Amino acid sequence: MLSGILLIFLPLVLGYLIPIKKTNILEFINTQTSRLVLVILALMGLSLAGLDNLSQNLGQILLYTFTFFISISVCNLLALPWLDRLWPTPTSHAHRKLPLVKMMLESSKLVIVVAIGLIVGLLLNVDLSWVEQASENILLLLLFFVGIQLRNSGMTLRQIVLNKKGIIIAGVILVTSLLGGVIAALLLNIPINNGLAMASGFGWYSLAGILIGDGLGSIYGGAAFLNELLREILALIMIPLLINRYPNTAIGYAGATAMDFTLPVIQSSGGIRCVPIAIVSGFILSLLVPILILFFISL
C-alpha cells in the first residue's frame, strides 16, 4: 500500500526536479498532458466494459451504485461550498473568461471519450486484462508532466507539500462521505459497516472495486467500481464549471483523484494555485482508501 502511494509521488517529484526555460517545450508538455488525459479516459471506458459480472445481477448493482452515489454526493456537496464561503481559494482569472458553453463542451468531450471506450470494449469482446496496467503506466507519465509544470510555475516545494486547506478539504470529504455511506446503508437495509466501506473509495474506482469485491462479493464490488467511476466522471464535468467560483468544492469532490488523474484538469481550469491544495487533499484521501475499506470490511 505504502509503495503504491510512493510510486504515485515519484514521477511528480522527478518532474519537479527538471527546470525548463524554453516556452515551446512547456507548451508541448501542456499539449501532451491534455492528450494523455483523453487516452486514460478511453482506457477507463474499456475497463468498465471488462468488469466481471456486469451482466449478472445488474439491477442490484445499479441500485446500490446510484443509492451510494447520490447519498455520498449530496452530503459532500452540501458541506463543501461552506468552505468556499469561509475560506476562499484564489484561481486563475484567465480561465474565468471562458464561455460556459465552451466549458460544458470540454466536459462533455471527456464523458464522450469514456463512452466510446465502453462501447468499443463491449463490441470487441476481447481480453481487457492489459487495460489496468496500461492506464497505470500512462498515468505515471501524466504525473511526470504535471511535476514539470509545477517546477516551472515558480511555486516552492514547501507550498506544495504543506497545505492546511488541503488537509481540511480531505477531512470534510472523509466525514461527509462516511455520513452518506451510513444513509445509503439504511436506505438499502444493509449492514452499516458495508455502507461505510462503500463510502471509503473517494473516487479511487479501481482499488475500491477490487478490495470491496474481494471482501463483500461481486455485487458490492461492481457497485463500488461504478459508484467511484461516476464520481470521477462527475468531477471531470464539475471542475471546469465550478472551480473558479467554488474551487474548494471542485477540488474536494474530486476526492482521491485530485492528486493524480483529475489534477491536470484542476490545474488547467483553476490555475496553478489550486494544485498544492489538490495534491495534499488527494494524497490524504488516497492513503485512507485501503485502510478504511479493509477496516470496515473486517468489522
Side-chain angles (χ1 to χ4, degrees):
M1 178 182 66
L2 181 58
S3 61
I5 296 295
L6 293 176
L7 181 62
I8 289 175
F9 265 90
L10 182 59
L12 272 173
V13 174
L14 291 177
Y16 188 82
L17 296 176
I18 300 176
I20 296 178
K21 296 182 179 180
K22 294 185 177 181
T23 305
N24 60 331
I25 296 179
L26 288 175
E27 290 177 352
F28 173 80
I29 290 174
N30 292 336
T31 301
Q32 299 312 310
T33 298
S34 299
R35 290 175 178 173
L36 287 176
V37 168
L38 295 178
V39 172
I40 295 179
L41 281 173
L43 292 175
M44 182 194 302
L46 285 174
S47 66
L48 180 58
L51 181 64
D52 292 336
N53 300 313
L54 183 60
S55 59
Q56 301 175 10
N57 303 309
L58 186 59
Q60 191 170 4
I61 290 176
L62 292 178
L63 175 63
Y64 281 20
T65 297
F66 286 106
T67 302
F68 277 101
F69 175 69
I70 293 172
S71 297
I72 295 170
S73 295
V74 168
C75 289
N76 288 165
L77 296 175
L78 283 176
L80 286 169
W82 286 99
L83 277 181
D84 287 300
R85 291 187 178 186
L86 299 174
W87 202 355
T89 297
T91 58
S92 173
H93 291 276
H95 295 278
R96 295 181 182 177
K97 298 178 181 179
L98 287 175
L100 179 61
V101 174
K102 183 176 180 180
M103 290 191 293
M104 292 183 66
L105 288 175
E106 286 296 314
S107 298
S108 300
K109 181 175 68 175
L110 301 177
V111 178
I112 290 172
V113 171
V114 176
I116 291 174
L118 173 61
I119 294 171
V120 169
L122 292 174
L123 292 178
L124 291 181
N125 193 27
V126 296
D127 178 36
L128 298 174
S129 59
W130 56 272
V131 172
E132 183 177 356
Q133 186 61 50
S135 298
E136 291 177 359
N137 292 338
I138 296 173
L139 181 58
L140 294 178
L141 179 59
L142 184 66
L143 293 174
F144 176 70
F145 285 160
V146 171
I148 293 176
Q149 291 175 325
L150 286 173
R151 170 59 185 267
N152 295 278
S153 68
M155 299 184 68
T156 66
L157 191 60
R158 179 180 178 84
Q159 287 176 301
I160 295 173
V161 177
L162 303 177
N163 193 289
K164 294 181 180 179
K165 188 174 291 186
I167 297 173
I168 292 175
I169 290 175
V172 170
I173 288 296
L174 171 63
V175 173
T176 56
S177 294
L178 295 181
L179 176 60
V182 171
I183 294 172
L186 293 175
L187 291 174
L188 294 169
N189 194 27
I190 62 175
I192 297 296
N193 64 300
N194 289 4
L196 292 171
M198 288 285 292
S200 300
F202 308 128
W204 196 342
Y205 65 90
S206 57
L207 184 62
I210 292 171
L211 292 178
I212 293 177
D214 182 62
L216 299 178
S218 60
I219 292 178
Y220 279 99
F225 181 93
L226 292 173
N227 173 44
E228 304 304 340
L229 182 60
L230 283 174
R231 181 191 184 100
E232 188 165 291
I233 292 174
L234 181 58
L236 289 170
I237 297 173
M238 288 175 53
I239 289 168
L241 296 176
L242 297 183
I243 197 165
N244 287 302
R245 188 173 181 182
Y246 299 103
N248 296 332
T249 300
I251 293 170
Y253 191 76
T257 69
M259 71 167 286
D260 45 54
F261 181 69
T262 57
L263 183 60
V265 184
I266 291 170
Q267 188 272 331
S268 63
S269 301
I272 200 67
R273 289 181 179 272
C274 294
V275 172
I277 302 171
I279 290 178
V280 173
S281 173
F283 171 75
I284 294 172
L285 293 172
S286 296
L287 189 62
L288 289 175
V289 169
I291 297 174
L292 292 179
I293 289 178
L294 294 175
F295 172 72
F296 289 130
I297 287 176
S298 67
L299 294 179

